[in-house]
Structures are given as C-alpha cells and as structure tokens.
Amino acid sequence: MPELNSFGQSVGDVVPGWEGRPAPELVTLEGDYVRIVPLDSVHYADLFAAVCGPEDDSLWTYRPIPKPTSLATLWMHLADVLDSPNLTFALIPLEGERAGLASGIASFYRIDPQTGQVEVAGVLYARSLQRTRGATEAIHLMMRYAFDDLGYRRFEWKCDSLNEPSRRAALRLGFTYEGQFRNHMVTQGRNRDTDWFSITDGEWPRVRTAHEAWLAPGNFDDTGHQRTSLAARK
C-alpha cells in the first residue's frame, strides 16, 4: 500500500538525502573491447568510411537524415550534433577489423541532473561493430558512468517503434519497456511513434552483474563466440 500524507493522498516513497547530481561530461571511458571518447572532427573521416559505404543506407533509416553521400555532408551533420546541448562520443573498437578507428557514435540526451536522469540516444554502429563485445560494452560503460560515477536514478533508451533491432537491443541490455508515444515526431518526412525503455538505479546492480558476467573474457571461446548469452544471465 502506498503511504498517505496528512491529506489522505497517496504519495511516493521518500528518497533519503536526495540532491541534484553532477551533469555528465565529455569524458573518456575505457573498456576491454571499446574506447569511448568525445566526438571530434578528427573522427569524421573514419566514421564516413565506417557508416556511409555503398551498403550502409539501411543504417540511416531511423535517423534524422538519410545516409550522407559525401564526407562534407557527414561533416556538416556531425558539426550540428556537436552544437546541440547533447554530449556525443565516438566509439573506437579495440579489436576486430577496425580496431583503433572510430566506428560508431552515441550521445547523452535529455540530461537532467536535478532529477538524476539521462538518455542514451543517437546510437549508430558500423556493421563491423554490430553484434560484438564492443557494442554491448559501449552501452554498459555509459550506464556505469551515469549510475556509479554520477549517482543517477534513471537511464533511458528510446527508439522508433518500428525499429525492431533497437527494440531487441534494449530488452537484451536489461531495459524495461514503458510504453509508446504516438505521433511523437516526424523523421525524414515520416511519422514516428517512439517506444520508451528505462533502467532504474534499483535495477542497475542486477543489470551490471549480468553485463559484467557476459563481458568477462571467460564467456568467450577462442574464436570470440559467446558461451552464454546475455539474455540467459539476466
């Protein structure tokens, strides 16, 4: 039963000693399989090669713009991204065919230090980064920074409701589905309904343990294939 106040109204649980938390910063996050660094123009050429190739149009279906067809177009797009209030990072795998080269981006959106919530958004992985240990570790590192370093209470993930790979990724990573915002925005001239997912600070210890167990070197054989899936560890 919820607590009642002196007026007989139901109220939420007390959050002992709650104060606003620090805002996230453009930090470098080091993992075993990926390095996360502040996005800079030095990464643009590598990113163009990674996500703007002849077979990469589908990577941009659910993004604000279609696939850039030139480095100059990508440059202008990413310059606008850096001019926004969001914090955007380049993802640099430490293994595989593009080790040491920027192969994706991800951002902190909707940053609200006063209430301790932040969203990971704008995630774009090169095909070579998709379905790798580095791809999972990148989101894990951003979660760990928000929860463990900053003391946030809520970490969000949102996606186009028709973006089935993104929906599956959210659930695999331990997010809870919260609902759908209908007619939420117009993207590339088309309606977008947006699905909302989150992880709370109360859920984070369980999610963190599952991530760490999956990411452990012993969970992979000599060819890099997982021994136990992340879904099986949650």
Side-chain angles (χ1 to χ4, degrees):
M1 292 289 292
E3 181 182 348
L4 300 180
N5 67 10
S6 59
F7 308 106
Q9 299 166 311
S10 298
V11 292
D13 295 336
V14 172
V15 182
W18 174 257
E19 296 180 354
R21 295 300 191 250
E25 299 178 356
L26 285 168
V27 295
T28 294
L29 303 174
E30 300 279 0
D32 292 326
Y33 314 114
V34 70
R35 187 168 184 253
I36 299 177
V37 301
L39 179 65
D40 185 88
S41 60
V42 71
H43 302 120
Y44 293 176
D46 286 343
L47 288 170
F48 183 74
V51 299
C52 296
E55 308 301 322
D56 291 334
D57 296 65
S58 62
L59 299 180
W60 295 80
T61 298
Y62 301 107
R63 297 189 67 79
I65 65 169
K67 184 193 78 175
T69 57
S70 69
L71 177 57
T73 304
L74 178 66
W75 189 292
M76 288 187 291
H77 170 59
L78 294 179
D80 287 341
V81 168
L82 291 182
D83 281 342
S84 76
N86 308 312
L87 301 181
T88 300
F89 301 86
L91 312 179
I92 302 175
L94 302 179
E95 59 182 1
E97 63 185 79
R98 289 187 54 82
L101 301 174
S103 301
I105 58 174
S107 302
F108 282 135
Y109 275 40
R110 286 172 45 84
I111 300 166
D112 189 346
Q114 190 58 37
T115 59
Q117 60 182 318
V118 69
E119 173 187 352
V120 60
V123 178
L124 176 63
Y125 289 157
R127 295 186 188 282
S128 60
L129 183 58
Q130 294 176 359
R131 303 178 67 85
T132 67
R133 297 184 286 194
T136 296
E137 188 177 47
I139 304 302
H140 171 74
L141 291 172
M142 295 180 77
M143 283 187 200
R144 193 176 71 185
Y145 176 56
F147 283 123
D148 291 349
D149 296 344
L150 301 179
Y152 276 37
R153 303 182 65 236
R154 174 180 171 85
F155 193 87
E156 299 178 340
W157 176 292
K158 302 185 184 71
C159 65
D160 190 307
S161 62
L162 299 177
N163 187 348
E164 190 58 31
S166 185
R167 288 177 47 82
R168 289 198 304 267
L171 296 173
R172 173 182 173 272
L173 288 163
F175 287 85
T176 296
Y177 176 66
E178 294 186 327
Q180 184 178 106
F181 275 32
R182 299 176 298 163
N183 286 9
H184 184 218
M185 60 181 71
V186 177
T187 303
Q188 295 191 42
R190 296 181 182 273
N191 176 64
R192 168 173 153 166
D193 298 339
T194 298
D195 286 355
W196 288 49
F197 301 81
S198 74
I199 294 172
T200 67
D201 57 346
E203 297 161 345
W204 168 239
R206 170 183 54 81
V207 172
R208 180 182 56 207
T209 297
H211 286 186
E212 290 173 348
W214 186 84
L215 289 165
N219 188 45
F220 300 91
D221 63 22
D222 292 340
T223 65
H225 289 94
Q226 65 181 6
R227 301 184 189 277
T228 305
S229 71
L230 180 54
R233 293 184 178 277
K234 290 185 297 184

